[in-house]
Amino acid sequence: MTTPHHDAVPTGLSRRSVLAAAGLTAAGVAFQGSLGASSAAAAAAPAIFYSPHQDDEAIGMAGSILEHKAAGRPVYLVLVSKGENGGIAQHLNENPCFLGDKCSAPGHHQLGWQETWPTPEVVSARTSEFTQSAKAIGVDKVINFKLSDNAYGTDSEYDTFVKQIMGKVRTLAQQYPGASHKFTAGWLDTTDPTQPVNATHKACSDAAYWLVKNGELTDVRFNHIYTYEAFSRDQRNRGADHVLNIPSSHMAKKRAAILAYNTWDPSRNLYTTGYHSVPRMLEEAYSDPREFVFVLPSNYRAGRGH
């Protein structure tokens, strides 16, 4: 395709009917403002989506978010980690760009961004793209956990990171009783199924696993993000508990969210960091009007690398 850029359900009920029933108190309420929930919508228990990094929500959650909003549910979008990533800084510092003629910022490289932790310019720019994506989708509230992404540190740091996520999610579950919680399928999220999974994504699904096991969360689902890179189009629905076919009106908004990650506009702190991180994944998600939703498998194993 042309590179896009700007310069648990009860038995017997369909997923949509469950969503609609849960959102009856907010039915017919129009979205008001870019990120602020209306008072009527706030009366319904929200659907809370947790994006491990800036871009995961646009790649594999936007359609699900829009489905919940269409059913009358307020939707809150959480950014879990700061997304410190020296590789993105390196890509935006180097010239010529590794993307070749697909680069939407030709001649604008050599930014001089810090490539070592905590990569402040990368974090700032990625979060600006995340905010732009959230506006395109039309979520009711954005929440930023602002957690340092320690999933790739020592085993102890990984365990601490999982516990930090648990604590933050626990607070939201207590603040919004009856909310549903949507994570990424971290045990599946890898570009190569024979290689280790993305540790940050796995930490998020581990946090959900322990909260479910403790009885603190009950309504939990997981969207598979890396399916858009790990599998060909005709293989992506393997094993999914639900395949969401995104209607064209929702797909237009999802594509706008994806384009937020390939927009070069320094005046708005937009530097195409997402596209310089996961270009293929963004392109494949842009062209495939489906999302893939899972429940926790019975043989789920907590811990990094499983």
Side-chain angles (χ1 to χ4, degrees):
M1 71 169 223
T2 302
T3 305
H5 70 271
H6 293 274
D7 212 23
V9 179
T11 303
L13 287 177
S14 71
R15 187 164 182 267
R16 179 161 293 281
S17 67
V18 170
L19 290 172
L24 285 177
T25 58
V29 176
F31 174 67
Q32 299 178 7
S34 60
L35 294 177
S38 69
S39 58
I48 306 177
F49 285 77
Y50 299 87
S51 184
H53 300 107
Q54 306 92 332
D55 66 28
D56 295 315
E57 83 297 334
I59 292 168
M61 294 178 139
S64 299
I65 289 171
L66 289 160
E67 180 191 33
H68 281 72
K69 286 189 64 64
R73 296 285 299 277
V75 175
Y76 300 166
L77 177 61
V78 175
L79 176 58
V80 175
S81 78
K82 293 180 181 179
E84 302 98 329
N85 188 321
I88 295 175
Q90 182 178 355
H91 286 320
L92 286 168
N93 286 340
E94 65 189 5
N95 192 40
C97 179
F98 79 102
L99 292 169
D101 60 7
K102 285 189 174 184
C103 179
S104 56
H108 293 293
H109 282 235
Q110 298 175 304
L111 294 178
W113 284 5
Q114 182 174 318
E115 297 181 12
T116 56
W117 190 92
T119 62
E121 297 93 349
V122 168
V123 171
S124 177
R126 293 187 82 184
T127 305
S128 292
E129 292 172 4
F130 178 84
T131 301
Q132 191 72 15
S133 169
K135 288 180 180 178
I137 302 168
V139 301
D140 296 284
K141 181 181 292 188
V142 167
I143 299 167
N144 190 344
F145 283 174
K146 297 183 179 179
L147 295 177
S148 291
D149 192 351
N150 291 326
Y152 285 92
T154 65
D155 288 344
S156 176
E157 287 173 322
Y158 177 86
D159 292 342
T160 297
F161 185 55
V162 171
K163 291 175 182 176
Q164 288 176 325
I165 298 170
M166 289 176 63
K168 296 279 191 179
V169 174
R170 179 181 292 117
T171 296
L172 290 179
Q174 293 169 349
Q175 185 176 358
Y176 302 107
S180 58
H181 299 264
K182 321 293 182 179
F183 299 85
T184 53
W187 69 95
L188 299 171
D189 280 344
T190 174
T191 57
D192 180 348
T194 67
Q195 298 300 314
V197 297
N198 183 297
T200 311
H201 289 220
K202 185 58 163 59
C204 290
S205 61
D206 276 5
Y209 166 77
W210 288 116
L211 289 168
V212 169
K213 189 176 179 66
N214 294 344
E216 298 178 71
L217 297 183
T218 55
D219 188 353
V220 180
R221 296 291 182 273
F222 301 84
N223 285 44
H224 190 182
I225 307 301
Y226 276 71
T227 188
Y228 299 99
E229 185 156 1
F231 299 109
S232 62
R233 189 183 178 101
D234 62 350
Q235 295 177 314
R236 287 179 186 147
N237 63 350
R238 61 165 77 187
D241 292 282
H242 174 70
V243 178
L244 173 63
N245 293 298
I246 306 171
S248 58
S249 59
H250 291 182
M251 195 63 192
K253 293 181 179 180
K254 174 169 179 168
R255 285 173 173 157
I258 289 172
L259 289 172
Y261 290 98
N262 200 23
T263 297
W264 181 270
D265 185 354
S267 69
R268 293 187 290 157
N269 200 33
L270 301 175
Y271 289 91
T272 70
T273 60
Y275 197 74
H276 282 79
S277 174
V278 286
R280 180 183 171 188
M281 209 177 302
L282 287 165
E283 288 197 2
E284 291 292 329
Y286 187 93
S287 64
D288 189 344
R290 299 175 297 168
E291 288 178 358
F292 307 88
V293 184
F294 289 74
V295 298
L296 278 171
S298 59
N299 63 344
Y300 187 89
R301 295 176 61 195
R304 181 170 53 184
H306 297 298

